[in-house]
Amino acid sequence: MPSFSGSAPGKVILFGEHAVVYGQPAIAVPILQVSAKAFARPLIKAPSGIIHIEAPQVGMDTDLANLPEDNPLAKAVRATFSELNIDKPPSFLIKISSTIPVAAGLGSGAAVSVAIIRAASAFVGHPLPDEKVSALAFEVEKLHHGTPSGIDNTVITFAKPVFFIKGKPIETFKLAKPFTLLIADTGVASSTRIAVGDVRTAWEKDKDRYNQIFSAVGEIVQLARKAIEKGENEKLGPLMDQNQVLLKQMGASSTELDQLVKVAKESGAWGAKLSGGGRGGNMIALIEDSHAEKVTAGLLAAGAKAVIKTIVQ
Ligand code: PMV
């Protein structure tokens, strides 16, 4: 039996995080320079039904049978075989690696799930279609997020820009003109589950105010989609700035994120905001490509732990 691999890119949310959990639209794009990979190969001599998982970056080297239900890697494998109604697959080893920074808002958890589901289903000769892959990865996301909107697994599975509304059919769309983003890491690991939970607690205390903030975010997202589709990329900077103001009002930003946003703007970025759950993780800045070096230097001097330049297209 031959070997099979699966992979999936990282992602950033351009507009609409948090509000998307409450039914507003959001826009996310894949980041193709970073990816998660899973590689499945037969274990010829093992008795049937043995699945061995190796994920050296998280120190995992064990049989699936030893892993609890709530382990995300194990859940991705189990969900795949349960979907395929396969009780005992031929024994195999699945090796997982990723270049996506963890707990940074770049979708590492969802990308690992998608890579595993693709490799495991292909290994048994039933590669799952993208809709199914995304749906299974969403089930695993619940372990990471509690109440995920589904945006991460969607953009990562389809590897295209998505306009996402929770519970609605997936809408991918095209950019009229590419644009350049810098993704700067605050170095502060942040749990999306906690950030999402805190926003929910605050929403429960003052629903009117929070619903207003979420609607204002929704309007920004609609304007951003129009601008992206018309190639009016210069309009995106101010929209990112406005989205960041609203994210701050929700309590999703942090001192480190605010500092990187400020420095990005002072160094010439057209707009900047946190991306993902916030409180830490990454900030994104929209820049003119020729300004990349200057803005990167400013961000590193201001304490960014890493800066990735990406061309979104
Ligand atoms: O932290 P990330 O990149 O996984 O993004 C979370 C996005 C939220 O809108 C905050 C939550 C969600 O499930 O959509």
Side-chain angles (χ1 to χ4, degrees):
M1 186 177 267
S3 304
F4 285 91
S5 60
S7 72
K11 69 100 213 331
V12 291
I13 297 182
L14 282 186
F15 294 97
E17 49 276 271
H18 286 290
V20 69
V21 176
Y22 299 82
Q24 297 294 337
I27 294 173
V29 294
I31 301 297
L32 304 173
Q33 282 109 314
V34 287
S35 63
K37 292 192 168 37
F39 182 75
R41 70 167 171 80
L43 286 174
I44 311 280
K45 288 187 187 142
S48 99
I50 300 287
I51 301 174
H52 193 82
I53 304 187
E54 255 183 60
Q57 285 159 295
V58 291
M60 186 182 288
D61 185 357
T62 188
D63 285 352
L64 176 68
N66 299 329
L67 292 170
E69 290 300 314
D70 64 354
N71 178 283
L73 307 186
K75 185 157 177 186
V77 178
R78 290 185 178 121
T80 304
F81 292 119
S82 145
E83 174 65 32
L84 294 169
N85 288 318
I86 295 178
D87 240 9
K88 263 195 183 180
S91 292
F92 71 99
L93 164 82
I94 187 155
K95 190 164 182 174
I96 299 144
S97 62
S98 171
T99 56
I100 308 173
V102 176
L106 297 182
S108 105
V112 165
S113 300
V114 168
I116 291 176
I117 295 162
R118 284 184 169 146
S121 63
F123 179 77
V124 289
H126 298 285
L128 288 165
D130 284 346
E131 281 76 13
K132 268 283 169 258
V133 170
S134 183
L136 295 180
F138 178 67
E139 292 307 311
V140 185
E141 282 294 279
K142 289 180 183 165
L143 296 174
H144 294 291
H145 278 197
T147 55
S149 63
I151 190 168
D152 280 18
N153 48 284
T154 303
V155 63
I156 283 167
T157 302
F158 290 89
K160 288 191 179 123
V162 296
F163 178 85
F164 181 87
I165 302 177
K166 194 175 166 178
K168 293 267 168 74
I170 294 152
E171 265 186 75
T172 57
F173 70 102
K174 287 211 165 74
L175 272 64
K177 262 198 234 158
F179 53 82
T180 304
L181 280 185
L182 292 180
I183 306 171
D185 189 355
T186 58
V188 179
S190 161
S191 151
T192 299
R193 177 189 273 275
I194 295 175
V196 169
D198 287 353
V199 172
R200 180 166 297 276
T201 307
W203 171 75
E204 270 157 5
K205 282 198 189 123
D206 193 349
K207 287 196 180 164
D208 285 350
R209 176 162 170 264
Y210 271 73
N211 287 339
Q212 268 175 23
I213 299 175
F214 297 149
S215 305
V217 172
E219 281 166 29
I220 290 172
V221 176
Q222 299 284 5
L223 292 172
R225 178 178 179 169
K226 281 194 193 118
I228 294 172
E229 285 182 322
K230 286 188 188 157
E232 296 171 344
N233 293 351
E234 68 289 348
K235 290 194 177 159
L236 297 176
L239 291 172
M240 285 170 81
D241 294 344
Q242 289 164 29
N243 196 163
Q244 173 65 12
V245 169
L246 295 164
L247 283 160
K248 269 184 86 163
Q249 288 174 8
M250 288 176 213
S253 199
S254 69
T255 320
E256 293 83 358
L257 284 164
D258 292 346
Q259 174 65 6
L260 293 185
V261 165
K262 182 166 166 268
V263 169
K265 296 280 299 177
E266 285 168 1
S267 321
W270 285 323
K273 63 182 274 295
L274 68 84
S275 178
R279 299 282 177 79
N282 278 284
M283 181 233 48
I284 54 173
L286 179 73
I287 58 158
E288 186 176 327
D289 198 70
S290 60
H291 291 171
E293 268 181 37
K294 182 170 167 250
V295 185
T296 300
L299 288 166
L300 290 171
K305 298 295 174 282
V307 180
I308 300 174
K309 178 183 132 171
T310 186
I311 297 177
V312 180
Q313 47 203 352

